[in-house]
Amino acid sequence: MKTTEPPAPLPAERGPETVKPAARETGTGRRKETEGAVLNVFSHGVLVIWAIMVVLPLVWAVMTSFKDDNAILTSPWSLPDTLHFDNWSRAWTEANMSEYFLNTILVVGGSLIGTMVLGSMAAYVLARFDFPGNRFVYYLFVGGMSFPVMLALVPLFYVVNNMGLLNTIHGLILVYIAYSLPFTVFFLTAFFRTLPTSVAEAAFVDGASHSRTFFQIMLPMAKPGLISVAIFNFLGQWNQYMLPTVLNTDPDKKVLTQGLVQLAVSQGYKGDWSGLFAGLVMAMLPVLAAYIVFQRQVVSGLTAGALK
């Protein structure tokens, strides 16, 4: 019995050209992987250097707050021999840091609530409703971000004085709200535009009013953006020094930043360095705690506007 072998494939069917593009693609892929690895190492190195530059001063300040004045001046970079907790108690009681801390909580708490309520309402209207002058009002808020507060100190002083709000807690709260509103409206307007309109339309169909739709539906959906802008406003208002220095000269109503300066210059040429560092760490702890607790919300709020 005779068997027949299958015919050999034609040279055109073997196609030696099909091997060369694969080789070229493999080389290109390896080159891209190498470039990506180098870029990854470089970016991580920059982040490590940046983290060291940020963390090292904080650790040094905390370490120095437990030293005495002699150890701070003679060996500033060494670890404390003994932990001087009396620095913290002295700064809290004798330097009136407790009173400054309470005033700061009242001012920042009231201004933060007012800023978020008014800013979110204004941003929602500008983002969701078309009316004559919408863009004009929006660009007024944006222009407020570019106006330096230094140029407004003198007229602001006279306006606050004529209103009878000079050297008062509620006057400082109103100024903080006005100072923080432009950034809040700018940030939340862009965020509200990314939210789906179908949910609000369904609420209107069910008979919900505009206020109920805003407070019960849109605000919970905008929670990441609200937390992000609240953190930024909290940082700016907590560390504010120029406005309270000009508008609040009453020694019984000074805020924490004014108290730190008062602690630094209270003894003339002989400064209480250990108490000063203890008060400085006290002022930093609420800010660090707020960022550590809400760091996920801050990152998600900053990236939510870019994703739909």
Side-chain angles (χ1 to χ4, degrees):
M1 192 169 177
K2 209 172 186 183
T3 58
T4 59
E5 297 181 358
L10 296 175
E13 294 179 356
R14 294 178 185 175
E17 297 82 10
T18 58
V19 181
K20 293 181 180 178
R24 287 196 297 269
E25 291 178 1
T26 304
T28 304
R30 291 177 180 175
R31 187 164 55 252
K32 289 182 179 180
E33 291 179 359
T34 304
E35 293 175 355
V38 173
L39 182 60
N40 192 20
V41 172
F42 176 76
S43 61
H44 280 74
V46 172
L47 291 177
V48 169
I49 296 174
W50 179 259
I52 293 174
M53 293 174 61
V54 173
V55 174
L56 187 60
L58 298 179
V59 175
W60 180 75
V62 174
M63 180 183 66
T64 308
S65 66
F66 292 101
K67 294 181 178 181
D68 56 4
D69 292 342
N70 186 30
I72 293 174
L73 297 176
T74 56
S75 55
W77 300 106
S78 62
L79 294 174
D81 297 333
T82 57
L83 298 180
H84 295 272
F85 292 99
D86 58 310
N87 298 337
W88 290 60
S89 61
R90 186 174 67 256
W92 184 258
T93 56
E94 297 181 8
N96 294 328
M97 293 298 293
S98 58
E99 184 177 351
Y100 300 147
F101 208 89
L102 178 60
N103 293 337
T104 305
I105 291 177
L106 292 176
V107 173
V108 175
S111 61
L112 190 62
I113 293 174
T115 301
M116 296 308 300
V117 172
L118 297 177
S120 60
M121 294 173 67
Y124 177 74
V125 172
L126 293 174
R128 293 291 180 175
F129 298 96
D130 292 329
F131 57 89
N134 181 299
R135 305 306 298 172
F136 177 74
V137 175
Y138 173 75
Y139 286 120
L140 279 180
F141 282 107
V142 174
M145 296 174 57
S146 61
F147 191 79
V149 67
M150 295 291 294
L151 297 179
L153 286 179
V154 175
L156 185 62
F157 175 84
Y158 286 105
V159 169
V160 174
N161 188 27
N162 293 333
M163 296 176 64
L165 300 176
L166 198 64
N167 299 326
T168 60
I169 296 294
H170 52 281
L172 204 57
I173 290 176
L174 293 178
V175 174
Y176 276 23
I177 292 175
Y179 174 75
S180 304
L181 270 180
F183 171 74
T184 304
V185 173
F186 171 75
F187 188 97
L188 291 180
T189 300
F191 193 87
F192 275 120
R193 288 172 180 168
T194 63
L195 299 180
T197 59
S198 57
V199 180
E201 293 174 354
F204 290 142
V205 171
D206 292 338
S209 60
H210 288 286
S211 59
R212 184 177 181 182
T213 302
F214 172 70
F215 286 105
Q216 296 186 2
I217 297 177
M218 302 306 294
L219 274 188
M221 293 174 61
K223 182 179 178 180
L226 293 174
I227 294 178
S228 299
V229 74
I231 291 295
F232 286 113
N233 285 330
F234 173 76
L235 295 177
Q237 294 174 3
W238 186 271
N239 297 322
Q240 182 60 241
Y241 174 71
M242 187 62 65
L243 290 176
T245 300
V246 175
L247 304 176
N248 183 27
T249 57
D250 190 347
D252 296 330
K253 297 178 182 179
K254 289 185 177 181
V255 295
L256 198 56
T257 51
Q258 294 175 290
L260 291 176
V261 176
Q262 181 68 26
L263 181 60
V265 301
S266 59
Q267 297 184 7
Y269 291 102
K270 185 183 180 303
D272 186 4
W273 301 109
S274 56
L276 178 61
F277 276 99
L280 179 64
V281 175
M282 288 180 189
M284 291 191 306
L285 286 179
V287 177
L288 293 176
Y291 183 77
I292 291 173
V293 172
F294 297 106
Q295 59 178 335
R296 292 180 179 271
Q297 288 81 358
V298 172
V299 175
S300 62
L302 291 176
T303 57
L307 301 175
K308 290 186 179 182

